């Protein structure tokens, strides 16, 4: 078992203020695999104080972008050497299939570090613009102390969407990992220490909701970057709005995959399996509404059912596993509750249902619903598990209408033999990320959502802007 008795604050491993602990439980074995301190508001106060001192008096915000980029590049090199270890650790703590961990859980955070390290080499802190009476300087400065609050499903991926650009901007950070998945943050802290990032620039305090809200409302925090549920995002936005504090939110999704009549179904199912079932369905961008024309509806249902049943369910550490357990018992019960709701609403279970596929572990049966309508709860609410709903549409205009008929707007896809026509569809769906015959998240392009899926953008040059303040300096003479 991995035992951690300290918190990472001010560049040191320090004793927590309280005696509470967080047990990290394997979703596969239901056994304790790790234990860390349960951070308290007093620990958050200490972490913010360390970040505040590092920002107000330390070297990090006063370095050039190129100097910070060089340190981030060094951190990326250390991360690259340990990414296999990181992938295995995330699989152990939250049940992500090891193939997905090796594909995304560790490599994509590394890619973000590498992108911002390269981008920062030539990024200009100041630029000159002509003014009415003389030159005007536009200067980019770090926003200050950042509270980064991340969920359990892709813990390093989400942490790095915040940490990597905030570091390049010159901010200092208090990172709060989710209680379900704190172990990966301890490994990352070791890398930060080895990379020589100055003390107090990154502080890590795993904790629950009470300490998290204390961090959000702390007067020493200048910006909050949050990923999680839409309900929690509304609460955080209200606190930040009252304090006029900068905030960025990446929230829920209920994304639609539009399958056009010309789509090659066998060719599409391989990529759609990743897009809809990645990480055991625990992904905000998962394509969980499958929109199929009435002309090919039965054929699409059969293809989707075959795709789901072809994914082996089992031990997430086994490379042959396609779908592992859910992160916690409460999540298992939540997803099973939605499966029952779908049945009660009149949708037909094509595969899956309420029979659990494993005697031990927090597994649910990967499930496909047919005969569903877009007004059912299973089509409107984020389930966050391997549950797909196939919904019929009349024509392409109806498909676009259904895709847009959601409070969310995080991602979406279209599947077609005509990629140019797919681009036309993509331009009409109100989401922040879209794919034609694929679903990709790249470090160099913005990621975020429309509507209740969030505020602001992460990644790419736009993600850096979220951690900068712009200062205009006019001069005469």
């Amino acid at each position: 078992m991995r035992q951690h008795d300290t918190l990472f604050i001010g560049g040191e491993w320090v004793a927590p203020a309280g005696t509470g602990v967080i047990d990290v439980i394997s979703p596969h074995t239901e056994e304790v695999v790790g234990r860390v301190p349960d951070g308290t508001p007093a620990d958050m106060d200490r972490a913010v104080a360390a970040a505040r001192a590092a920002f107000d008096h330390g070297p990090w915000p006063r370095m050039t972008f190129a100097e910070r980029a060089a340190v981030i590049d060094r951190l990326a090199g250390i991360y690259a050497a340990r990414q296999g270890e990181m992938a295995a650790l995330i699989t152990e703590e939250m049940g992500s299939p090891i193939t997905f961990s090796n594909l995304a859980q560790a490599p994509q955070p590394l890619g973000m570090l590498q992108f911002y390290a390269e981008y920062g080499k030539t990024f200009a802190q100041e630029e000159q613009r002509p003014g009415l009476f003389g030159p005007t300087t536009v200067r980019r400065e770090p926003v200050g102390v950042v509270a980064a609050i991340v969920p359990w499903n892709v813990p390093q991926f989400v942490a790095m969407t915040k940490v990597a650009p905030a570091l390049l901007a010159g901010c200092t950070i208090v990172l709060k990992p989710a209680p379900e998945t704190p172990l990966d943050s301890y490994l990352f802290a070791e890398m930060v220490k080895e990379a020589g990032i100055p003390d107090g620039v990154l502080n890590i305090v795993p904790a629950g909701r009470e300490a998290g809200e204390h961090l959000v409302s702390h007067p020493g925090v200048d910006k909050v970057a949050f990923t999680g549920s839409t309900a929690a995002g509304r609460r955080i936005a209200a606190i930040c709005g009252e304090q006029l504090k900068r905030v960025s939110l990446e929230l829920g999704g209920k994304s639609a995959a539009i399958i056009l009549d010309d789509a090659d179904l066998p060719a599409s199912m391989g990529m759609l399996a990743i897009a809809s079932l990645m990480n055991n369905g625990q992904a905000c961008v998962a394509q969980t509404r499958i929109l199929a024309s009435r002309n090919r509806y039965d054929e699409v249902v059969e293809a989707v059912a075959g795709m789901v049943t072809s994914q082996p369910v089992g031990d997430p550490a086994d490379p042959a596993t396609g779908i592992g357990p859910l992160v916690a018992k409460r999540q298992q019960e939540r997803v099973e509750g939605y499966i029952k709701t779908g049945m009660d609403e009149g949708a037909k279970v094509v595969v899956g249902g309420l029979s659990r596929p494993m005697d031990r572990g927090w597994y649910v049966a990967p499930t496909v619903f047919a005969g569903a309508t877009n007004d059912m709860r299973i089509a409107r609410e984020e389930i966050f598990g391997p549950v797909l709903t196939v919904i019929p549409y009349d024509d392409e205009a109806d498909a676009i209408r259904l895709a847009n008929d959601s409070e969310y707007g995080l991602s979406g896809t279209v599947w077609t033999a005509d990629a140019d026509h797919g681009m036309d569809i993509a331009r009409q769906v109100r989401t922040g990320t879209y794919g034609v015959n694929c679903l990709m998240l790249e470090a160099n392009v913005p990621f975020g959502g429309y509507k209740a899926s969030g505020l602001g953008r992460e990644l790419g040059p736009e993600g850096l802007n979220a951690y900068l303040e712009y200062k205009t300096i006019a001069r005469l003479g």
Side-chain angles (χ1 to χ4, degrees):
M1 186 178 75
R2 302 171 190 269
Q3 179 85 32
H4 298 284
D5 301 319
T6 55
L7 304 170
F8 189 67
I9 298 176
E12 302 293 338
W13 296 104
V14 303
T19 59
V21 297
I22 296 170
D23 284 338
V24 182
I25 303 175
S26 163
H28 173 60
T29 67
E30 301 184 38
E31 297 173 353
V32 176
V33 295
R35 183 169 291 132
V36 304
D38 187 0
T40 65
D43 294 313
M44 291 301 181
D45 289 342
R46 185 173 179 180
V48 172
R52 189 80 260 165
F55 184 79
D56 292 340
H57 309 293
W60 189 252
R62 292 152 189 86
M63 296 166 64
T64 66
F65 279 90
E67 288 170 338
R68 289 193 293 266
V71 180
I72 296 170
D73 190 52
R74 187 161 62 243
L75 175 60
I78 295 167
Y79 203 108
R82 304 186 72 177
Q83 65 174 319
E85 182 182 356
M86 180 66 80
L89 181 56
I90 294 174
T91 288
E92 181 181 20
E93 67 180 342
M94 64 77 54
S96 184
I98 190 62
T99 50
F100 183 75
S101 290
N102 285 326
L103 176 70
Q105 293 277 25
Q108 287 201 325
L110 171 60
M112 297 174 207
L113 287 171
Q114 292 170 331
F115 169 76
Y116 284 109
E118 185 65 27
Y119 186 65
K121 290 178 182 178
T122 57
F123 189 80
Q125 182 155 11
E126 296 183 354
E127 66 173 282
Q128 302 296 323
R129 300 182 188 177
L132 287 175
F133 303 106
T136 298
T137 298
V138 177
R139 178 175 170 83
R140 301 168 179 89
E141 298 180 351
V143 71
V145 174
V146 174
I149 302 175
V150 303
W152 45 260
N153 61 325
V154 279
Q156 279 290 297
F157 176 95
V158 174
M160 216 61 70
T161 63
K162 299 156 180 49
V163 170
L167 286 176
L168 180 58
C171 297
T172 60
I173 306 154
V174 178
L175 172 65
K176 191 197 86 64
E180 295 83 0
T181 54
L183 299 178
D184 60 278
S185 68
Y186 279 79
L187 177 56
F188 182 57
E190 293 175 12
M191 300 179 196
V192 167
K193 188 77 170 170
E194 184 179 349
I197 292 177
D199 294 348
V201 170
L202 179 65
N203 309 272
I204 301 176
V205 181
R209 182 174 299 176
E210 179 187 354
E213 185 159 323
H214 182 79
L215 175 62
V216 168
S217 60
H218 199 292
V221 169
D222 300 298
K223 174 185 167 63
V224 175
F226 171 79
T227 296
S229 72
T230 297
R234 288 191 173 102
R235 171 63 179 161
I236 289 171
I239 294 171
C240 293
E242 183 177 339
Q243 298 182 356
L244 295 180
K245 184 177 294 184
R246 277 87 177 124
V247 63
S248 55
L249 305 170
E250 193 269 288
L251 307 175
K254 192 68 180 178
S255 302
I258 300 174
I259 301 180
L260 298 184
D261 279 345
D262 66 351
D264 182 334
L265 289 183
S268 299
M269 287 303 110
M271 285 296 294
L272 185 59
I274 298 172
S276 60
L277 297 172
M278 70 174 84
N279 206 29
N280 312 330
Q282 298 169 129
C284 54
V285 296
Q287 309 295 290
T288 55
R289 289 187 295 150
I290 313 297
L291 307 185
S293 79
R294 298 187 187 279
N295 295 332
R296 299 186 71 185
Y297 185 78
D298 291 343
E299 187 182 356
V300 171
V301 168
E302 182 180 0
V304 171
M307 176 265 287
V308 171
T309 56
S310 71
Q311 303 297 310
V313 177
D315 184 350
D318 184 346
T321 293
I323 299 176
L326 301 183
V327 72
K329 183 173 181 60
R330 72 172 191 284
Q331 189 68 12
Q332 179 191 48
E333 294 172 346
R334 168 188 165 87
V335 173
E336 288 178 341
Y338 272 108
I339 294 173
K340 184 177 186 305
T341 295
M343 296 165 67
D344 292 343
E345 287 180 313
K348 176 187 175 184
V349 174
V350 181
V351 296
L354 293 173
S355 297
R356 293 178 178 174
M358 305 284 284
D359 294 332
R360 182 181 65 171
W362 297 313
Y363 291 85
V364 299
T367 299
V368 175
F369 281 107
T373 59
N374 206 51
D375 59 353
M376 292 181 176
R377 285 184 62 197
I378 56 171
R380 303 204 71 80
E381 299 178 16
E382 187 174 41
I383 297 173
F384 230 59
V387 179
L388 307 181
T389 303
V390 188
I391 300 168
Y393 65 81
D394 296 324
D395 52 28
E396 286 186 12
D398 190 40
I400 294 167
R401 180 189 66 80
L402 290 170
N404 285 330
D405 182 18
S406 172
E407 70 170 317
Y408 298 109
L410 189 59
S411 75
T413 55
V414 62
W415 304 83
T416 175
D418 185 345
D420 288 338
H421 182 57
M423 289 293 293
D424 293 336
I425 300 290
R427 294 183 179 101
Q428 299 176 69
V429 180
R430 290 183 55 76
T431 67
T433 299
Y434 208 82
V436 178
N437 298 322
C438 65
L439 180 64
M440 303 294 290
L441 300 179
E442 306 279 2
N444 65 333
V445 295
F447 171 66
Y450 290 31
K451 300 182 280 187
S453 288
L455 298 172
R457 291 295 182 269
E458 297 180 310
L459 301 181
E462 294 81 3
L464 178 61
N465 285 336
Y467 296 90
L468 296 173
E469 293 281 18
Y470 284 78
K471 176 185 289 182
T472 297
I473 306 172
R475 56 182 279 185
L476 285 176

